[in-house]
Structure formats: structure tokens, C-alpha cells
Amino acid sequence: YFLWSSMPDDELLKLAESGKLRGELRSQTDRMLRDRKSEAFFRNFTGQWLQTRDIETVIVDARQVLQREAPPDPDGERRRRRFRELRDRVYETLNEEEKKELDEIRAVFGQRFRQPLRAELTGEIRRAMRLETEKTIERIFREDRSLLEVLDSNYTYLNEALARHYGLTNLGVKGGEMRLVELPEGTPRGGVLTQGSVLAVTSNPTRTSPVKRGVFVLENLLGTPPAPPPPDIPPLEESSRGGSGSPLSLRQTLTLHREQPLCASCHNRMDPLGLAMENFNAMGMWREQERGQALDASGTLITGESFTNVLELKRVLVQGRSPEFFHTVAEKLLTYALGRGVEHTDTATLDLIAGKLKAAGGKPSVLLSEVIDSAPFQRSRATSASTAQPRSASLTPVSLPADLTKPRLSP
């Protein structure tokens, strides 16, 4: 069920019945990974760990996302305020001049709304984004490449629609099938942090969210999640205007937010990570400016490492934070394999797996074998058929072959 999300096949059952399965664990693991059934592992594990399953349903308003990148409209904010003022009044109480003004503003907004968008997060694009991440993880595991390629690599998977969405039209990708693509030298793409699935699910419906993106890195890649926010903290949007009434950039807004002592400790950890990805909008597309201001992706981590863009951030994570990353991947895979969250009793096991993974240079084969050989995985308590209660009317407790329930390690 760990590798196939399905029942054992005849070969596994025969080995278990004959008491030979333990001696064949390594070869059977290799066989199962070569089988097409293992595609379920890459799909489900990636979906749980990197949240790629959410790309199918995440809400993104493409029009508002792209509007933030449009040339500044000096009259736009004034027009919106006037529209809200007139709209909120009873129409019959407006004089003729005000009615005409309201109709003219509506016509301007309507014309803009009818203009075709240069990009949208269609179902086709969403599926391609999910497959991009799944296939990246699958390649790393199947070819036993270093897991550090999750953080940074010189390749990705694209089809024609996704390449066009990313603006990578010079790579010659044609057709609807996802294919392995080598990325040009110096490109910011490469690694899951710059893939559309991660960028979209860590955004808000109308804009990017450096906070969500920073939390994603801390939780899913470095294993150091921030504490929950304190109560009664005002929404970020309430700080999004300067004293002159002009909108602030997200970096400026977060700077104001960090001036509050209760917010500073966590935001100093989250914000630099999230702001490094600000050149990618909420649909995973590259951009240079927002609201007429050039984007600044530089920052300094709370541990002291500095960077000027997302490319340098990825190198910082690979070169300086690999132990934390290996420990986090081990925890995520063990959680998936056990079907439960890790507990304090799993600490020694996790430390052992992470240490061996680091010594092996991040080889997935070592990670998989260590998880499978671990005491928490092999020594799940088997309930007696005579006392077990079925979880539903359609499920009946069964006894497993002795070879599968016998502890590998002595108590």
C-alpha cells in the first residue's frame, strides 16, 4: 500500500505465505517501483508533501492578478472610489449628472472586463503544473538522483501550453505531452519552488502571498514551521496603503507589519523566503514589476545568509540547509508510509534515517529502504481477529501471514 496504494499482487502474497518476504524486501521494492502501479506513490506522496493536489481547486482570479502588473493608471483608484460612492447610494436619489457619471464609469469597467486575458489558469494548465511537479519527483526517485534536485535543478517537465504560460517559448516544446526539458543557464526556473503548482497554491486569489510561500518552505522543506499567529492581528491588506493613499508594494506592507513586536519574530523568518519568489505571480508566471514598481527579491535569512534573487536563495538552501532538508523529507515520507503523523517515539528513527540519507548524498534509494526497514513501519501493531471491530459493515478483520506481522527487531 505504501508503494502501490493497492493490494499486494500474487508474487508478494506467495513470498509472504512461504516466509521468504523479509529476505526479498530490497529486490521486491525495486520490482514494485519498476511497475506502473508505483505511479500512484509519486502522485499521492507528492500531492500530500508538496500540496500539488490543491492546484486543481485553488481559486485564482487571473484578471486581478494580471491587473497588478498593468501600467499604473493614475485615475484608476479615483474612479474606483467614485464608483463605490455612487453605487452605494439609491439610484433614484442621484441627479442626472451623477447618473451619467456612474454609467460612464460602468462602461469603462465593462470594456476592460470584456478584453481577453493574456493568460488564465485553465484546467489544462493546472493539470500540466501538477504533472510537472509529480514527474520531477518521479525522475529523482526512479533514477536515484540526489534529493537536493527538489530544491534546485537544471531541468523541468513541460508541454507546449505550460511552456507558453511560463514564457519559455524559445525551448521548442510542442504538443500536449509532458516532456523532460533542460533549462538554459541562469534561468530562475528549476526546482519545485519555481513550479506553478507550488507558486499557485501558496498565493491568495488576487495576489501572491510571501507569507504563505515562506511558511511553505519552512514547513515542507526545512521542517521548522512558525508558531501560529497571535489573535487579533489585523489583515495584511489593512496596512497596504501609505499615508498618501497610494498602494504599497507587498514588501513595503510586510515591512510595516514587522514593526509590530508580536509579528516581527515570525515574519523575520518567513518573509525573506517568500519575497525571494515575488518575481513569480499567483499563476506562476514571471514578472519584473508590480503596480509600477520594480520587484525586489533580495533578502537575508534569519540565520544570516543573504541572496539577491530566487536563484541565489535556492543555492543557499542546497549548500547550507541540506541537513534540515534531508530530515524534513525523511519525516514527510515516514508520515506518508505510516499513514499517521510522527510522534516523539519516532525521533530516534527519524534521526537515523536522516543521518544515513545525508551520508548517501540524498539518494532516494537509501531513504526508501531505511523507511521500509524502520521499526515504526515494520512493527505496526496487528489486532487480533477475534477482538477487532470492523470500521464499517463492508470491512472484515483478517489475519495477516506470520511473516508480515513478526517484529523485525526485538523489543
Side-chain angles (χ1 to χ4, degrees), residues 151 218 220-224 303 305 317 320-331 354 358:
L151 299 176
L218 292 174
N220 297 297
L221 301 178
L222 299 180
T224 54
T303 46
E305 301 95 331
L317 296 178
R321 308 303 291 274
S322 59
E324 297 97 319
F325 173 67
F326 289 146
H327 197 282
T328 304
V329 178
E331 179 180 342
K358 178 183 176 183

Side-chain angles (χ1 to χ4, degrees), residues 198-251:
V198 170
L199 295 165
V201 301
T202 56
S203 293
N204 288 335
T206 61
R207 63 166 175 83
T208 61
S209 174
V211 173
K212 288 183 180 179
R213 290 177 174 180
V215 169
F216 178 90
V217 176
L218 292 174
E219 286 186 342
N220 297 297
L221 301 178
L222 299 180
T224 54
D232 303 323
I233 293 298
L236 200 61
E237 285 76 5
E238 291 187 13
S239 305
S240 63
R241 298 195 179 282
S244 63
S246 58
L248 300 177
S249 68
L250 280 177
R251 177 177 286 273

